[in-house]
Amino acid sequence: MFELSSEQIGGWVGGFILPFFRIAGLLMTMPIIGTQLVPMRVRIYLSLAFTLVIYPNLPAAQPLDAINVGAVFLIAKEILIGVMLGFVLQLFFHAFVIAGQILATQMGFGFASMVDPTNGVSVAVIGQFYTMMVTLLFLAMNGHLVTFEIMAESFVTMPVGTGLTTNHFWNIATSLGWVLAAGLLLVLPAITALLVVNIAFGVMTRAAPQLNIFSIGFPLTLVMGFVIIWISLSDFLSHYQAMVTDCLQLLRELVQAK
């Protein structure tokens, strides 16, 4: 009769279940896959498939007593590592949402908003446009494959059961400021151009007070805003490449990968 010892069961649990929770933590929180557009059951199946693919190449794990209370803390650590990586990717995508929101406010187009189907919140139309562009670029340039590669390398650099240090949380905290700065740099030329347009309207109002600045300035600001967005799209790819390089490098630093 085929029998399994507790050591064998513990080895399977430690070598498969814990990596599964780390991968599931990433897929549940990362953009595109971790959104409301992908059902929870599909994300679980993807996590299971990814774990099965990398399981033969994982380092040997120590046997784990699945009934022990310490196993719960180990599972929480693995989930936290995956959520940490997914959170950094979310910050990268939200940098473009912030940029679109700032630009829409400056050009007087902030009233035009729509419900983001991925997050279920109301965002500016321009921010949603930038989100769609960065999503297509991220998939076209295999950013999701690079993320999965970093996740696979994390099991070598941060073996199962490794805890997080204060450096990991410090890097995430500093990345919050990086997101705001990246969003501002992305739309800074457009904001400057719109500021010049508003100054020109102010000079026109002083020179000809009989002009109704609200009836003339508002539509012209919208038109100039769209023209500026169209011109600024020529540098969108270069900004994206610089930002995604910094984001993926931050992911590698968090898991101590090369």
Coordinates of all heavy atoms in Angstrom, one line a residue, residues 100-111 126 194 198 217-218 220-227 229:
G100 N -2.6 62.3 -16.7 CA -3.8 62.7 -17.4 C -4.7 63.5 -16.6 O -5.4 64.4 -17.1
Q101 N -4.8 63.2 -15.3 CA -5.7 64.0 -14.4 C -5.2 65.5 -14.3 O -6.0 66.4 -14.4 CB -5.8 63.4 -13.0 CG -6.7 64.0 -12.1 CD -8.2 63.8 -12.5 OE1 -8.6 62.7 -12.8 NE2 -9.0 64.8 -12.5
I102 N -3.9 65.6 -14.2 CA -3.3 67.0 -14.1 C -3.5 67.8 -15.4 O -3.9 68.9 -15.4 CB -1.8 66.9 -13.7 CG1 -1.6 66.3 -12.3 CG2 -1.2 68.3 -13.8 CD1 -0.2 66.1 -11.9
L103 N -3.3 67.1 -16.5 CA -3.4 67.8 -17.8 C -4.9 68.1 -18.1 O -5.2 69.2 -18.6 CB -2.9 66.9 -18.9 CG -2.8 67.4 -20.3 CD1 -2.1 68.7 -20.3 CD2 -2.3 66.4 -21.3
A104 N -5.8 67.2 -17.7 CA -7.2 67.5 -17.9 C -7.7 68.7 -17.1 O -8.5 69.5 -17.5 CB -8.0 66.3 -17.6
T105 N -7.2 68.8 -15.9 CA -7.6 69.9 -15.0 C -7.0 71.3 -15.6 O -7.7 72.3 -15.5 CB -7.0 69.7 -13.6 OG1 -7.5 68.4 -13.1 CG2 -7.5 70.8 -12.7
Q106 N -5.8 71.2 -16.1 CA -5.2 72.5 -16.6 C -5.9 73.0 -17.9 O -6.0 74.2 -18.1 CB -3.7 72.2 -16.9 CG -2.9 72.0 -15.6 CD -2.9 73.2 -14.7 OE1 -2.8 74.4 -15.2 NE2 -3.0 73.0 -13.4
M107 N -6.4 72.1 -18.7 CA -7.0 72.5 -19.9 C -8.5 72.6 -19.8 O -9.2 72.9 -20.8 CB -6.7 71.5 -21.0 CG -7.2 70.1 -20.8 SD -6.7 68.9 -22.1 CE -7.7 69.5 -23.5
G108 N -9.0 72.5 -18.6 CA -10.5 72.7 -18.4 C -11.3 71.5 -18.8 O -12.5 71.7 -19.1
F109 N -10.7 70.3 -18.9 CA -11.4 69.1 -19.4 C -11.6 68.1 -18.3 O -11.9 67.0 -18.5 CB -10.6 68.5 -20.5 CG -11.4 67.7 -21.5 CD1 -12.5 68.2 -22.2 CD2 -11.1 66.4 -21.7 CE1 -13.2 67.5 -23.0 CE2 -11.9 65.6 -22.5 CZ -12.9 66.2 -23.2
G110 N -11.4 68.6 -17.0 CA -11.6 67.7 -15.9 C -13.0 67.2 -15.7 O -13.2 66.2 -15.0
F111 N -14.0 67.9 -16.2 CA -15.4 67.5 -16.0 C -15.7 66.3 -16.8 O -16.6 65.6 -16.4 CB -16.3 68.6 -16.4 CG -16.2 69.0 -17.8 CD1 -17.0 68.4 -18.8 CD2 -15.4 70.0 -18.2 CE1 -16.9 68.7 -20.1 CE2 -15.3 70.4 -19.6 CZ -16.1 69.7 -20.5
I126 N -8.7 61.8 -20.3 CA -7.4 61.8 -20.7 C -6.5 60.8 -19.9 O -5.6 60.1 -20.5 CB -6.8 63.2 -20.6 CG1 -7.6 64.2 -21.5 CG2 -5.3 63.3 -21.0 CD1 -7.2 65.6 -21.4
L194 N 0.2 75.3 -21.8 CA -1.2 75.8 -21.4 C -1.1 77.1 -20.6 O -1.9 77.9 -20.6 CB -1.9 74.7 -20.7 CG -2.4 73.5 -21.6 CD1 -3.0 72.5 -20.7 CD2 -3.4 74.0 -22.6
N198 N -2.9 80.7 -21.3 CA -3.7 81.4 -20.3 C -3.1 82.8 -20.1 O -3.9 83.8 -19.9 CB -3.7 80.6 -19.0 CG -4.5 79.4 -19.1 OD1 -5.5 79.3 -19.8 ND2 -4.1 78.3 -18.3
G217 N -12.1 82.1 -24.2 CA -10.9 81.4 -23.7 C -11.2 79.9 -23.4 O -10.3 79.1 -23.7
F218 N -12.4 79.6 -23.0 CA -12.6 78.2 -22.6 C -12.5 77.2 -23.9 O -11.8 76.2 -23.8 CB -14.0 78.0 -22.0 CG -14.3 76.6 -21.5 CD1 -13.6 76.0 -20.5 CD2 -15.3 75.9 -22.2 CE1 -13.9 74.7 -20.1 CE2 -15.6 74.6 -21.8 CZ -14.9 74.0 -20.8
L220 N -11.1 77.8 -26.7 CA -9.7 77.9 -27.3 C -8.7 77.1 -26.4 O -7.8 76.5 -26.9 CB -9.3 79.3 -27.4 CG -9.9 80.1 -28.6 CD1 -9.3 81.5 -28.6 CD2 -9.6 79.4 -29.9
T221 N -8.9 77.1 -25.1 CA -8.1 76.4 -24.2 C -8.2 74.9 -24.5 O -7.2 74.1 -24.5 CB -8.4 76.7 -22.7 OG1 -8.2 78.1 -22.5 CG2 -7.4 76.0 -21.8
L222 N -9.5 74.4 -24.7 CA -9.7 73.0 -25.0 C -9.0 72.6 -26.3 O -8.4 71.6 -26.4 CB -11.2 72.7 -25.1 CG -12.0 72.6 -23.7 CD1 -13.4 72.4 -24.0 CD2 -11.4 71.5 -22.9
V223 N -9.2 73.4 -27.3 CA -8.6 73.1 -28.6 C -7.1 73.1 -28.5 O -6.4 72.2 -29.0 CB -9.1 74.1 -29.7 CG1 -8.3 73.9 -31.0 CG2 -10.6 74.0 -29.9
M224 N -6.5 74.1 -27.9 CA -5.1 74.1 -27.7 C -4.6 73.0 -26.9 O -3.5 72.4 -27.1 CB -4.6 75.5 -27.1 CG -4.8 76.7 -28.0 SD -3.9 76.6 -29.5 CE -2.2 76.5 -28.9
G225 N -5.4 72.6 -25.9 CA -5.0 71.4 -25.1 C -4.9 70.1 -25.9 O -3.9 69.4 -25.7
F226 N -5.9 69.9 -26.8 CA -5.8 68.7 -27.6 C -4.7 68.8 -28.6 O -4.1 67.8 -28.9 CB -7.2 68.6 -28.4 CG -8.3 68.1 -27.5 CD1 -9.4 68.8 -27.3 CD2 -8.2 66.8 -26.9 CE1 -10.4 68.4 -26.5 CE2 -9.2 66.4 -26.1 CZ -10.3 67.2 -25.9
V227 N -4.4 70.0 -29.1 CA -3.3 70.1 -30.0 C -2.0 69.8 -29.3 O -1.1 69.1 -29.8 CB -3.2 71.5 -30.6 CG1 -1.9 71.8 -31.4 CG2 -4.4 71.8 -31.5
I229 N -1.6 67.9 -26.6 CA -1.6 66.5 -26.4 C -1.1 65.7 -27.6 O -0.3 64.8 -27.6 CB -2.9 66.0 -25.9 CG1 -3.3 66.5 -24.5 CG2 -3.0 64.4 -25.9 CD1 -4.7 66.2 -24.1

